[in-house]
Each structure stands twice: as C-alpha cells, then as structure tokens.
Amino acid sequence: MAMARRIDVHHHFMSQAYIDAMGVERVASPGSAGHAEAFSAEQSLAFMEVAGIGTAILSVSAPGVELATPQATATLARECNEAQARMAADHPGRFGMLAILPLPDIDASLAEIAYAFDTLGADGAVVMSNYGGEYIGSPEFSPVFDELNRRKAVLLVHPSAPLGYRGFPGVSLSTLEFPFDTARAMASVLYYGTPARFPHVKFIWPHAGGAMPTMAGRTAALSQRNAKFELRGPEKMTQALRGFYYDTTQSLSRPTFAALSALAPFEHLLFGSDCPFASEGLVRASLAELEELALTPDRQAQFERGNALALFPRFA
Amino acid sequence: MAMARRIDVHHHFMSQAYIDAMGVERVASPGSAGHAEAFSAEQSLAFMEVAGIGTAILSVSAPGVELATPQATATLARECNEAQARMAADHPGRFGMLAILPLPDIDASLAEIAYAFDTLGADGAVVMSNYGGEYIGSPEFSPVFDELNRRKAVLLVHPSAPLGYRGFPGVSLSTLEFPFDTARAMASVLYYGTPARFPHVKFIWPHAGGAMPTMAGRTAALSQRNAKFELRGPEKMTQALRGFYYDTTQSLSRPTFAALSALAPFEHLLFGSDCPFASEGLVRASLAELEELALTPDRQAQFERGNALALFPRFA
Amino acid sequence: MAMARRIDVHHHFMSQAYIDAMGVERVASPGSAGHAEAFSAEQSLAFMEVAGIGTAILSVSAPGVELATPQATATLARECNEAQARMAADHPGRFGMLAILPLPDIDASLAEIAYAFDTLGADGAVVMSNYGGEYIGSPEFSPVFDELNRRKAVLLVHPSAPLGYRGFPGVSLSTLEFPFDTARAMASVLYYGTPARFPHVKFIWPHAGGAMPTMAGRTAALSQRNAKFELRGPEKMTQALRGFYYDTTQSLSRPTFAALSALAPFEHLLFGSDCPFASEGLVRASLAELEELALTPDRQAQFERGNALALFPRFA
Amino acid sequence: MAMARRIDVHHHFMSQAYIDAMGVERVASPGSAGHAEAFSAEQSLAFMEVAGIGTAILSVSAPGVELATPQATATLARECNEAQARMAADHPGRFGMLAILPLPDIDASLAEIAYAFDTLGADGAVVMSNYGGEYIGSPEFSPVFDELNRRKAVLLVHPSAPLGYRGFPGVSLSTLEFPFDTARAMASVLYYGTPARFPHVKFIWPHAGGAMPTMAGRTAALSQRNAKFELRGPEKMTQALRGFYYDTTQSLSRPTFAALSALAPFEHLLFGSDCPFASEGLVRASLAELEELALTPDRQAQFERGNALALFPRFA
C-alpha cells in the first residue's frame, strides 16, 4: 500500500549495549518518563508497519556517545555504527544508517567517517548540537566538515541538552530544550559561516529546525550589530536557511508548518517519526496533523518520500 | 499623520536611578552591546516621532527589579512606578504605564498593585518570565493572579534569563534565550492552568510569544503523557493560546508572523518597539517587514492601534 | 552521671510538617542517603541519653526555610520556631532553641527576631551560609545584624549548598561542600567587616569552621591584593577569627582539632552532635576521637559544657 | 648561601604562546587580578634569587591545556612540554619539569608520557584535579595511572575550577575554590582506591592538600555509609593520606601546618612558591611564616630541600 512507502529520516537506534555504556540515567534524562528501553529491529519494523514507513534511516539520539575519555567515546561510536550496519544488512531496503561521530575527537571522527562510509556503507552522519557547550558551528570542528563536504555527505544535527540548564517542572527537556538547542546550533553555523564554507554538506535539522523558524527574523536583525557574524543580515541568513533540509518529526502542527513553509522550500521538508521515543499514539497524532494540512496527493507523496530520496537515492 | 497613531505596547522605562540600583552589568547583560544607558522622556518622544508611535506603554524590562532582599526590591519597584507615572502625567496621552511588581514577594506585590492601579493609574502590570528559576505559572504566585483577575488587568510577562544557562559565542542572550524563556513561561501557565483559573487576566506575551508558536503542537502532544498538566492536549492548549495577546516586537518576519497568525486571532496581535533597546535602524527594519506582510489598510490600522485600544481604551 | 551534662549546640529540629513544607527531596539532598525522616522530641531525648547530652540547642538545618515567596518562607519559619519552643517548654532544661530567620526577607526576619526572642524565649538565631548565592556577610543583611548586635545574640551560621555546584560521585554534598560553604560564609563576613561592625553578635561556626582553619592563612595573604577587603591581612583576620565560636560537630579528628586549636581560643570551642543526621555510630566515633585527644578532665568539661554555658547561661 | 638551595616543586611555566592558545581570560580567571602575563626563564631566575630557590620544578598551572578538541589539546601539551624542556636544558640544574598530560585523551596522554619521560627527560607529570567535572580518581583515567605506576612517576595534581560554581564577591577563585577542588580530587582517589591500585605513583598534592587535612576525619566518618567507597574508614584513609606528598605553597600559616603535620609524615612535606602567580611579597610572607614555625635547622633543611630530593634525586 502507498502508506508503507514513507521514508523516516529520524528513527533511533537504541540497543541495550548502548544504554549500558551510556548509563540509563543519561539516555533517559531527555524524556519525561525517566527510563529508557532497548528497541530491537523487530520492534522497529512493527512500528514502521503501523506508521506506514517503508524505510527508516537509523541514528543514535541524544546524548550521543560522549563518555569521559575520547577512547571510550570512539569505541562506543564504532560499536553503534557496526550494530546499525548489521541491522541494515539483515533487513535489506528497510533501514539506512547515519554514522554517529565520536566528537569532539577530530581524528577519531575522521577515522569513523572513513570506516562508516567506505566499509559500512553509511548513508550520512549524525552529530549532536553541542559538545560540552561548544556548538557544532565552531571552527574547532572544521576538519570534520571539510571531510563531510568532500564526500557531499548528509549530516543530521541532533539536539542535545544545553550546558547548565536543568529544566523546570511539568515539561521534559526534550519538549522545549531540545528544539531550543537545535536553534542554537543553527545560529552557531550561521555565525561561523559553516554552510558557506562547506556548501556540499547536506544538513538535516530535526523537528522543523526547532525554534529557528520563528527566531530567524529576529536573529537576522540582531546579528547586524555583530561584525563577526559571518552570515548576518536577512539576505545571507535566508539564503543559508533555505539551503538546509528539515525533518518535521513531532512538528506538523499548523503554526509550526506555516513557519517552516515560509522559511524553507517544500523540497527540503522530510518526514520523521522519533521512534522509539515517540509512542504509536504520538505518531498517529502526527499523521492526523499531516492529514489536516490537506496537502495535495502529489505534494504529500513528495513530502513523505520523494524529498528524502534526493538525499538517500539508494532507497528509490 | 496616520503613522503617528501607532500604539507601542513594548516600550521600556530606563532611568539612571534604575540602572544604578540594579547595577549596569545586570541591566546590560541581555543586550549584545554589554552596556546600558539611561533614556529620558524626551528621547522616547523623539524615537516615537521617527517610528510613528502616538502612545507608548512604559514597562521595566529584564531583569526587572529583583535585588538581594524583598525590601530593596519593593523600594525599587515603587520608585520605578512613580517615575513612570510622572512621565505619563507630564506628557498626557503619550505614555501609558505597566506597574512593575516586586515579585516574588506576594504581599509587596499586592500592595504595589493597589497603589499603582488606584493611585498612580497604571494601565496594567509587568512581571518577569521566571524568578530564581520559578516560572510565572507557579501556584506560589496565585494570590497575585487572583488580584489581577479581580481587576481584569492587563499583564505583560517579560522574558528574563534562564537560571544556569550562560549563552554561547556570537549570539546575545536576548536574541534567542529571551524568546525561549517566554515559551517556558507560557508552558508553565499552561501546565498549572493559570489562564483557566484566572480568566480575566489579559496576558500579553512579547515577541510573538517567543518560541511558543512553533513549540505549541509539540508541547500539546508531549503533555499528554503527564496527567498533572492542567491544559494538556491540543484542544485545551489551543483554546488557552488563542485567548492570549501577543506583541510582535522584533517578530514581524514572514515565518514568525505566519506561525503566530496560525496560532492566535488577528485581534490579539499588537505592535511593539523594544525602545530603547531597539535602535532606530532595527525599528525601521521591523516596519519594512510589516510593509512586506502587505496587510490591508484596515487590518494594518487594527494591528497598529485598534487591537491595543481594546486593552488600553483610555488612549482612544 | 557526668557524661549526661554535655551541651549539644548543633542538634536539629526535624518535624514532619517541616519536611512536607520543604519537600523531602530538598531536605534529604545534603545527605548521602537521599531520604529524610521526621524526628520527635522523644527520639532526640533517647539519642541524648546515648550521647551523654544533658541539653540540646535546637536549630533548623539546611536548606533552612526558603520557599518560592517571602510569605511562604515567613510562615514556615514561624511554625518551626513555635514548634521548637513547644519542644523546649515540654521538656524543661533539656532543649534550647535557635530561631530560624526567614531571610532574605529583612522585615520578616526582624519581626521573627522580636517574636522569637521576646515571646518564645529563643536562645539565639540560626541562618544559612548563603541565600541564592548571596553570602551572609553581604551588606544587604545589615539590618538583621544590627538587631542581633543590639540584642547581643548568639548566631549559628549553618552551611547550605553553594549555587550551581552539583557534587561528584561517592561523596555526599554535606561531607565536603557544606564545610566549604561555611568557609565561604566566613570569608564573606571578613570581606565585609561584619564582626567589626557588629561586635556583640556571638557567631558560632559549625564543624570547626568548616575548611576555614586551613584556609585562613591563604585568605589573609591573598586578601592583601584587594583594597575592598575590610578585615584583610593576617592581623585583622586573626583577631576576627579568634572572636568567633566554633562547634566541633563531626570535626574532632586530630588534624582538624590541631588546626582549630591553632586558630581559636579553647574557650570558644563547643560540642555538637548533628543529631538526627548523625547516626549513633557516628556520634560514638566522634566521642572516641574526643577521648583520643586526651584533654585534661578540666578542659574536657569546659569543652563539653562550660564553654557553651557562656553562650547559654540559663542551662547552668 | 644556604638559602639558595631551596627546591621549589610548585613553579609555573607561563609562556605567551600558552596564554595565546588558551585565551587570556581562561588563564587569568583563577587569579584575582583578572589578567595573565607571560613569564620568561630570566624572570623565574630573578624570582628564585629573591626567594632563595636553587631549583624550580616547572609545571603548567590551571586550567591546564584542555581545548575544544583532543587534537588541539595534545598539540598544546606537546608544545608546552618541549618549551619546558628547552628551559631546563638552557639552565642546567636550575629547572626540572613536570609534563602536562593532554587528558582526558588517554592515548594522547600515554604518548605524551612516553615522549616526555623518554625523550625530554621529564621529572614527573602534572594533571588537573578534574576534567569537565570528572575527578582524577575516576577509573576512566586508569590506563594513565597504570603507566605512571609502571614508571614510579611523580604526579602533581593541580587544582582547577569546579564545574558550575562561579564564586562570590571579594574572594578570587584560586583563594578558596582551588584548595576545595584539591580536596575533591583527593576524595575522588580515595573513593576509587587509586593509591592502593597504583602504589608506585608518587602523588604531590598542592597547597598542603587544600582543604583535605581538616576534612579527612569527616570524610572518613561519612564514607562509612557508602560500601562503594574503596578506602573508607579512618584506618584505610589515614594510611593512604600518609603515603602522599604535599607541597605547602601559600600554606605555611600555623593552623594549616598544624593540620598537615597531624596528617602526613614530615618527610612528605615540600616547599613551593606558586611563581609567577605569587608576587615576591607573597613569597616573603610565606618565608616569614616558615620562620615563625621555628623548625630546627635540620628539619628546615629537610623541608626546603631534602624531602624534595627523594622525589627529584637528579638535583642533589
């Protein structure tokens, strides 16, 4: 059936080994429930059946793989990437994979890109919005962007928790703080001019760019005061923002879609589920929101699948 | 001329005495420039001339008036409110005023409401989004909302800095963190059911509700997991959000306006300048954005003045 | 028996009503166990029997009574003080009490001093080392010190958690961070010259002055660079430190006692138990350490009781 | 003259290149003055002349060499170590050097140990008390301790700023927070049993062990509740603490020396200057305190030189 052909660009890998390595507290902390559970390939496939997803692009979610030393981090990244690759190989056509990079270690990240893209056949990479408070646009990370640029790679920048802020009662960190951190990461790449310096990297910003669509005008206006802001002013900023891709995971309500549509070309909007963090109920609600948007059948097909094929053509 | 009749609901009182009491570092920290300068009535009037503003509603900006003890806080609130009232009396029809409340002191805030509304003729009140990390929806503040509700008062909730987060290079706290804190404060009142418990308070949320328009759908969906969330779920949340007023200070770019328009009735959208934090250049840019929205003349007049008169009828 | 005449100047009031008002998480967080339990007068008396304590001076421990608003704080302070006074009245000669002050509210604190000293017969007052990061020496608190000075009052400054620091694995906040915060509070009163400005306040610093005995020389030396440091330099600092009283709660190991003895006159050293946070085992260990110090019987009696009688003569 | 033969085990390397790489703000923040200046070999030698120092053991101070990526960190560590080695080679007998390790990168630290010890002739190593809030006792760092243990290396653990705490008015971070962080690092190695697992590492704890001498009894007592505390209880803790070396930089006041002498054998006490952070005035004050301790000439010589020779025999 038609529904079963959605491509889900925001679908998380969550093995027990990963949870054990990171510690359940850190993995669970973004969610309101305070616990995290392993999710098998079979569970993902069952979820995909319900949600009409033909192919899911796997990625490690927040807080990524950062442990106390770069060595432990690199080891965990490697293990996750190999496990994702096995999952993709075991179920041909059903899973793609984004390689998690062991940042902030540059050498290990370059090595992981080489191994994951050349040996594991990764479909792109995933990084966190900030590392110890250093946002992803920082020039410190340039060698990695240089290599991703050379490979014309897809890069999903997943939100992570900000440094220092602890949240407030009633609202889980992932509800507001994650989309806020996505906006910070986007502001960081605009500040440092990353999209202009590495024009072949295909950025995917999750959750409709987080809070950025409503912040872009304000950021453009206020950036004018700061001569060090590389892509400052409405014109440069608009151009950069229109070049990005956006997944609309948990972000299909009418005001959000309206803001995103005014910011980005329709061809750059992608479907995502947030499985297994999103329950089936949440995904059903998202699909109902999608229906309410009343896109034409052509555009809906493009949004659900066609746009993603431009980034992941092997699933055509 | 017609332009000169705009009502500016977001215009800040900034006396030297206030800067001295708070310390220039704390007052300046929200801005990118790192300094704060006193602004006289004459300077405000000159700015209003340039921006076509007939009447400006004065308010104290972040970080409000909170000092180390409630006594010092209450004294400063009183001084600011009296100075604002003098400014309004000296220039009839040109200035309204929102009374700054000495929260988190409940008794002093109730006393200030009585004095400011009954003696000084305040047009409403202003509070900060959070006090020491306690967001404005917290039941601790209910006696103040009770009194504001009894008076059917206008309440501007101005953003403040979050507790613990320090920002990142290139982007001033006020650019992103302030709109984020507005969204947190809105989530807080939704969580505790404030708009339902105090239905006569007329909330104004600045900067188009900060990041909330793009966060509302996500918050509604994720709130479902939390039985303690008073206004949870899309229906209740939408109803509450449609009941609020929004100023569009620094928030008239097309994506922001699109999101806000999908969230709130047009009658609840208000014009604001952020003077004196906004330079003339910023305000001109905002007015240019307004022009690009290409509202019909009727709607533009309603937005610039008519909608505000519903809240501040004495300036008709 | 002789043992039963110890005076315990560091013995905590811990009612269920207090725990409920503060929230068990905040009350328990200083301890490693993560939970807090109410402790009745009868439980205190049984503990005193075991520890040879004739009289215990009650006080509220960290985190004091600070709630979100000054009104809630003042109400809780009043309830705690009245409950302590009842406990003292019900068991004549067995309990003294230090009134907890509802800081940072100055007026409420002055009112509480008047009520607690004049009506409840308080033996002194207790405050926290910092309030929202503002240390107790801050001039903001001067009106309270002025009144305590006028009354020649005993003042216990109890350590509290520092603002922002979260601890590290294996060591509870109370083990190291509390004594560190006592040292910060002492540095704060030295910096602002509090002991010189209010010479009749009889300060008791808990836990042998926390880390201050080993920090005093260093603080004296480094303070020289700072012309705003009121009691800077070894001479002034030594004089001020020798004027303070110190309880030796959980602080009778040989190195600690050696440092304290080199800093303060023997007449200013006091016995304290930290009941009910200290288990019977911990108190037995403390008493064994006391024995190892091999004080002469006269000095031991002076330390255990005589020195305290200079501050609390009604228990003679 | 006899005085000129002191061995200074706490003497900092501070080149302009180092300041430039770290950023002057980060290097200066520990000090009260808020600025940092480069210090040449000639300036060190002049200082040593004044302070009667024959040999100074160079080390990088807080905040060490940690930059945003492990690669940048390793490069800076290498440059500092080579510059220190040149300084030692250029002035035979006058300078020793401790190799700064590029932690938390384990592989780079192992490589740096090999190069610095085998090629540069390092006299030991220096690390910070915590890395991103992870204290030095953490098992994550075990491979480095393993290698230092194999080499029977001297290891200076220099205090660094704690994660999250920002200080308070009037007192520089280095005055209190640094000695507190040394105590935290010592508690961390006691918790994880580091001294028992790596018995040949010769730890030097600066500033008389920071706050630890007065905290040891309390830590021993409170550790009893925690079965995971490796060296818990007075006996094991005392044994471990007696095995450490302590420099007495800025820590020769009578109470501090009394506490340290009750904790550690005299043979483990070392002289240190904190040059160039310490001014000549501060060092003179320290030497005056040393005189007031009225050690016998033999013991003074042992303290100033003999004890250090046990760790650095090549300067005999």
Side-chain angles (χ1 to χ4, degrees), chain D residues 60-81:
Chain D
V60 170
S61 183
V65 290
E66 202 177 358
L67 296 170
T69 68
Q71 282 67 39
T73 300
T75 299
L76 181 56
R78 176 60 52 94
E79 289 169 359
C80 288
N81 290 332

Side-chain angles (χ1 to χ4, degrees), chain B residues 99-311:
Chain B
I100 180 78
L101 302 189
L103 283 176
D105 188 331
I106 300 298
D107 290 350
S109 295
L110 294 175
E112 199 60 28
I113 292 171
Y115 178 75
F117 282 66
D118 296 340
T119 302
L120 300 179
D123 299 288
V126 62
V127 296
M128 298 295 116
S129 48
N130 82 81
Y131 291 89
E134 190 94 12
Y135 280 83
I136 196 62
S138 165
E140 298 287 346
F141 304 131
S142 289
V144 168
F145 279 96
D146 210 32
E147 177 61 12
L148 293 171
N149 191 54
R150 195 181 68 75
R151 290 175 179 270
K152 300 182 170 44
V154 169
L155 179 68
L156 178 71
V157 182
H158 198 280
S160 189
L163 189 68
Y165 187 70
R166 306 274 162 170
F168 63 103
V171 180
S172 67
L173 275 185
S174 60
T175 304
L176 292 182
E177 303 310 322
F178 272 31
F180 294 171
D181 219 54
T182 292
R184 291 186 194 105
M186 295 179 78
S188 163
V189 304
L190 295 168
Y191 176 66
Y192 288 111
T194 314
R197 289 187 295 134
F198 308 104
H200 302 306
V201 175
K202 293 165 196 141
F203 283 91
I204 302 177
W205 298 100
H207 313 109
M212 185 45 87
T214 42
M215 293 296 112
R218 182 174 175 84
T219 305
L222 295 172
S223 70
Q224 296 279 24
R225 302 189 199 177
N226 188 344
K228 291 199 280 185
F229 208 110
E230 284 287 337
L231 301 177
R232 77 175 179 282
E235 200 170 334
K236 283 186 193 162
M237 206 169 280
T238 299
Q239 187 189 347
L241 291 169
R242 290 184 61 82
F244 295 146
Y245 290 78
Y246 300 85
D247 78 46
T248 59
T249 307
Q250 308 282 345
S251 306
L252 283 166
S253 76
R254 191 173 294 277
T256 308
F257 198 78
L260 182 58
S261 297
L263 185 84
F266 184 78
E267 292 69 23
H268 286 196
L269 310 190
L270 309 168
F271 175 80
S273 76
D274 227 349
C275 170
F277 287 112
S279 63
E280 282 184 23
L282 270 180
V283 173
R284 278 187 215 280
S286 249
L287 293 176
E289 287 179 325
L290 176 57
E291 204 153 317
E292 276 181 38
L293 294 176
L295 303 177
T296 64
D298 273 10
R299 282 171 83 81
Q300 182 153 346
Q302 190 181 347
F303 165 68
E304 292 178 347
R305 178 174 176 83
N307 291 346
L309 284 177
L311 297 179

Side-chain angles (χ1 to χ4, degrees), chain A residues 68-71 104-107 140, chain D residues 68-71 104-107 140:
Chain A
T69 68
Q71 283 67 39
D105 188 331
I106 300 299
D107 289 351
E140 299 287 347
Chain D
T69 68
Q71 282 67 39
D105 188 330
I106 300 299
D107 290 350
E140 298 286 348

Side-chain angles (χ1 to χ4, degrees), chain C residues 28-43:
Chain C
S29 65
S32 57
H35 63 88
E37 283 175 26
F39 213 70
S40 67
E42 285 63 35
Q43 287 171 298

Side-chain angles (χ1 to χ4, degrees), chain A residues 19-254:
Chain A
I19 296 173
D20 291 346
M22 293 300 294
V24 67
E25 273 186 36
R26 287 189 68 207
V27 176
S29 66
S32 58
H35 63 88
E37 283 175 26
F39 213 71
S40 66
E42 285 64 35
Q43 287 171 297
S44 273
L45 289 166
F47 177 98
M48 290 157 71
E49 192 62 33
V50 168
I53 296 166
T55 301
I57 310 296
L58 297 168
S59 58
V60 170
S61 182
V65 290
E66 203 178 355
L67 296 169
T69 68
Q71 283 67 39
T73 299
T75 300
L76 180 56
R78 176 61 52 95
E79 289 169 0
C80 288
N81 290 333
E82 292 189 329
Q84 287 188 119
R86 277 195 303 277
M87 208 163 140
D90 289 351
H91 305 275
R94 305 306 305 276
F95 294 111
M97 68 162 275
L98 303 179
I100 180 79
L101 301 188
L103 283 176
D105 188 331
I106 300 299
D107 289 351
S109 295
L110 294 174
E112 198 61 27
I113 292 171
Y115 179 75
F117 282 67
D118 296 340
T119 302
L120 300 180
D123 299 287
V126 61
V127 296
M128 298 294 116
S129 47
N130 83 80
Y131 291 89
E134 191 94 11
Y135 281 84
I136 195 64
S138 166
E140 299 287 347
F141 305 130
S142 290
V144 168
F145 279 96
D146 211 32
E147 177 61 14
L148 294 171
N149 192 53
R150 195 181 69 76
R151 290 175 179 269
K152 300 183 170 43
V154 169
L155 179 67
L156 178 71
V157 182
H158 197 280
S160 190
L163 189 68
Y165 187 69
R166 305 275 162 170
F168 62 102
V171 180
S172 67
L173 275 184
S174 60
T175 304
L176 292 182
E177 303 310 322
F178 271 32
F180 294 171
D181 219 54
T182 293
R184 291 187 194 104
M186 295 179 78
S188 163
V189 304
L190 295 169
Y191 176 67
Y192 288 111
T194 314
R197 290 187 294 134
F198 308 103
H200 302 306
V201 175
K202 294 166 195 139
F203 282 93
I204 302 177
W205 297 101
H207 314 109
M212 185 47 87
T214 42
M215 293 296 112
R218 180 175 178 83
T219 304
L222 295 173
S223 70
Q224 296 278 26
R225 304 188 198 180
N226 189 345
K228 293 199 281 187
F229 208 111
E230 285 288 338
L231 301 177
R232 76 175 179 282
E235 201 170 333
K236 283 186 192 160
M237 205 169 280
T238 299
Q239 188 190 348
L241 291 170
R242 290 184 61 82
F244 295 146
Y245 290 79
Y246 299 87
D247 78 46
T248 58
T249 307
Q250 307 283 345
S251 307
L252 284 166
S253 76
R254 191 172 294 277

Side-chain angles (χ1 to χ4, degrees), chain D residues 69-128:
Chain D
T69 68
Q71 282 67 39
T73 300
T75 299
L76 181 56
R78 176 60 52 94
E79 289 169 359
C80 288
N81 290 332
E82 291 188 331
Q84 288 188 118
R86 278 195 302 276
M87 207 164 140
D90 288 350
H91 305 275
R94 304 307 304 277
F95 294 113
M97 67 162 275
L98 303 180
I100 181 78
L101 302 189
L103 283 175
D105 188 330
I106 300 299
D107 290 350
S109 295
L110 294 175
E112 199 59 28
I113 292 171
Y115 178 73
F117 282 67
D118 296 341
T119 302
L120 300 179
D123 299 287
V126 60
V127 295
M128 299 294 116

